[in-house]
Structure formats: C-alpha cells, structure tokens
Amino acid sequence: MTTPEFRCLQLPDVALREVLKNMDLTELLILSLCSQKTNRVVKLNHNKSLEWTLWFCEYRSEPSIGFQCDAPLRTAIVVKEATEFVHIEKYTPEEQKLATHRNGLFASLIGSGARFAPNSSMEEMENATKLDELEKVKIGGQNMPISKGDGPFQVYCTDPKDGFNTIRDYVKDLFGDAPIIVSAEPHLLWFLESIEKRVKKAFISSEYTADLEGVPLTEEEARYVLAKCDAHEINLSAVFPESFNYTGSFLNYHTISIHYGSWVNSGNLISFGESCVDLYITYSKVTNEDINKFIKHWFNGNMYGFRRLIIEYEPVNEDAILADLKDEMIPVDGIMVFRCELYRENIDFPPDSNVLQRKDGKVLATAITTGTKNTVICVWNDIKSSQKYQAGFSSFPLAPFHNVV
C-alpha cells in the first residue's frame, strides 16, 4: 500500500498556516529551497510571532547557520568548500539512537555525537560521492550542490565566504530580522568581518580542553576584536597573548564577557565601565585598589550606562575595595534585587550589603557570589527600583562582603 500524497500547497490559507506553524525553522528553510513557490509560501505564512535567535557559528570548524527557539541550538546548514569528492555523514544505528535520546525528535538536524570525516579524496575514505552528482538548489541566484546525511544539510561552494554570505542573506530575507549570535573560533574571524555591521550580538568562542585552556588569539586578532567588532554583546573565551596590552578605546557593547582577563588593567576596567552596561571578567589580575578606583569613578558622576560588573580576582579585601567610601554608605532595609533582562535572571543582594548613593540618586551595591567568591557590583536608578522585583524567584542569592575569608 502506498502512502497518499499530501498536497500541502493546495490547502486553504488558514489550514496551510497551521501546517507551517507546526514545522520548525530548519524544516521551513529546507522547504523554502524546493522551489520559488515554496519560498513565497514560507515567507508569507511562517509564524512571525515566534521568538528565535539566528546563529552564525561553526560546525566542526566549518561555518554554519542555525536556529534557536525554546529548544537548544539546531545547526541547519553547513557551508563547505567544494572539492571533487565529498563525504556524506552517516550515523551507525547506535549513534543515531544516542543522538535522538539526547536531542529529541529532530536530532538528525543537530548532528550531536556523530562520527566525522572531512572532505577528502576517494583514496582516503570509503563511500565518497562525486560533487557533480549532488542535487543543486538555487540560493540567492546561485546553484549550490547540497547533501543531506544524518547531520545538518551541507552546501558546497567554491568560495565558502561568498557562499556563507549568500545563504545568510537568503535566511534573513526569508524569515526577517532576529537577534543574532556569532560564534566563531579565531581561524574563522572572517565571520565577524563579513557580518559585523549586521549583528545584534557577537560571540568569539572556542572549545575548551580538559584543563579549560581556550584557543589562543594572536595579538592582531585580539586588537581586531576589541577595536572593530561592532556588536551588542561579545563573549571572549579565547586566550589573549600573555604580554598583550591594550590602551585604545572600546566600542559601546551592551555586554562583554572576558573569560581570560589577565590583560585587563584598571584603565581598561574604567573604560569598559564608561562604554558598556554589563561586564563579566574572570582570571583577571586587577587588584582591590583597581576596583576601588572603578567604584570611585562611578561615584564621582561617571559611567552613566554601567549597571553590572562580575569580576574574579583574589584575594577580596572589603576595606581596600571601599577605601575612603565607608562614610558615603547608606542603610537599606530588605533585599535588593538586580534584574538582568537579557538573561531573564535576578541577583539578590543581602540586607546588609554595602550601598552607595550618589547625587543623581543612583545606588551601587557590592557583594560576592557564594560559590566562586566573585565580586559583584550592581547599579540601580534609585532605592525603589532596587526592590522592584521579588527576591527568591529565579534568583541567585549573594553573600555580603564581611563573609569573605
């Protein structure tokens, strides 16, 4: 018995929209590539109220595009350099079962936990396929060979940079604007160069080894990222050169996370505070005196946009951090709650936190994280706004400074 055809495109508009609403973005993208008609149907009828994020990232060190809604990131298309022969990924039944168990119904589109063999020649791997035997799809006016194994769709381009940009423009035209995250290892920094003016968020990330050492950046790459990457959010988890020193200005990031911040000095810290809203720095060599300079700079009427600093350094000394500021402290009854809208999380400051209030009414509180002993500094517009949110609801409780050993 054969399965009857489901003539999706012949459905009434209301029914068609309901069908498309039950398809995820990766499926809709692939459907749109079938023909010009399906492209128009998807563009007009996909769920435009869906909250999602577009990822420009790497898939096993190759550029890719993926989507993230409520579920984890799903890599949709990988851009590969065209060679005479290509290798189409196939999972063993055991690997497919494991991936499905981890990632749910559409695990075949994610590509987690699978074996990998790079493009190569016929002599170097079995079951290779000739490039000209692959199906071709039209993307942005270009006919691109495309293959589908058990991982994401793979598109082959003579110039991967040009191909990536073409696919990027196609996706944005199909689904419209959305928050964007760029995740690229240092050798793929052209990701940033090609899309930095279009992104709302940008991540420079790297895979960690067992001892948590990140992939090192060259000095040129490090300076490029700090001076040129115009992004809403930047996350630096690669390692900067040991002798790296930066004296230039920083762009107006909303959030910057620096996971290997040994290069950050007091001048950099104050400059970040002047241009950024949210700062997160670990493995830093800043001192208690540097933090004291930072707080004083804020107290003297500077850093209008700054709202939060989380910084890891040892040892924390309350007297040194708040030197010459004790007399400016004010008492606050109850817990102060800092709301981070970007990540939808709260941070609870204990009732006996150290609180400063400057002339314009803004208040600053300092405390420490209970586990890692990171110093946390947060700013509110006034006392009332610091107690706007309820403590204990999706919150991270902090400890007062006097608990630091």
Side-chain angles (χ1 to χ4, degrees), residues 144-156:
M144 299 183 180
I146 188 169
S147 68
K148 177 67 173 74
D150 294 324
F153 279 81
Q154 299 178 3
V155 176
Y156 298 88

Side-chain angles (χ1 to χ4, degrees), residues 82-100:
T83 56
E84 182 181 359
F85 294 97
V86 300
H87 178 272
I88 301 175
E89 289 183 351
K90 296 294 181 183
Y91 289 0
T92 65
E94 292 77 14
E95 290 169 336
Q96 183 66 56
K97 183 178 179 181
L98 176 61
T100 302

Side-chain angles (χ1 to χ4, degrees), residues 61-135:
S61 298
E62 292 178 297
S64 68
I65 293 176
F67 305 101
Q68 184 176 23
C69 297
D70 293 332
L73 163 68
R74 290 177 183 169
T75 301
I77 288 184
V78 180
V79 181
K80 303 174 75 73
E81 184 175 2
T83 56
E84 182 181 359
F85 294 97
V86 300
H87 178 272
I88 301 175
E89 289 183 351
K90 296 294 181 183
Y91 289 0
T92 65
E94 292 77 14
E95 290 169 336
Q96 183 66 56
K97 183 178 179 181
L98 176 61
T100 302
H101 173 71
R102 287 179 176 175
N103 299 307
L105 181 62
F106 300 106
S108 62
L109 297 175
I110 302 174
S112 298
R115 293 175 293 111
F116 173 68
N119 290 353
S120 186
S121 65
M122 181 67 81
E123 291 75 23
E124 291 178 310
M125 60 184 178
E126 298 178 356
N127 303 318
T129 301
K130 270 197 168 186
L131 184 68
D132 58 13
E133 295 175 354
L134 295 179
E135 182 180 359

Side-chain angles (χ1 to χ4, degrees), residues 308-326:
R308 180 172 68 165
L309 168 64
I310 300 177
I311 187 165
E312 173 192 281
Y313 64 98
E314 294 289 348
V316 180
N317 185 299
E318 177 184 0
D319 290 333
I321 288 176
L322 299 173
D324 303 321
L325 293 169
K326 291 284 189 178

Side-chain angles (χ1 to χ4, degrees), residues 12 71 131 157 274 304 356:
L131 184 68
C157 307
E274 290 282 7
Y304 296 104
L356 286 169

Side-chain angles (χ1 to χ4, degrees), residues 329-332 336 348-355 365-367 398-401:
M329 297 293 175
I330 61 171
V332 176
M336 303 173 68
D348 296 349
F349 284 74
D352 48 358
S353 298
N354 297 289
V355 180
T366 58
L398 300 181
F401 263 1

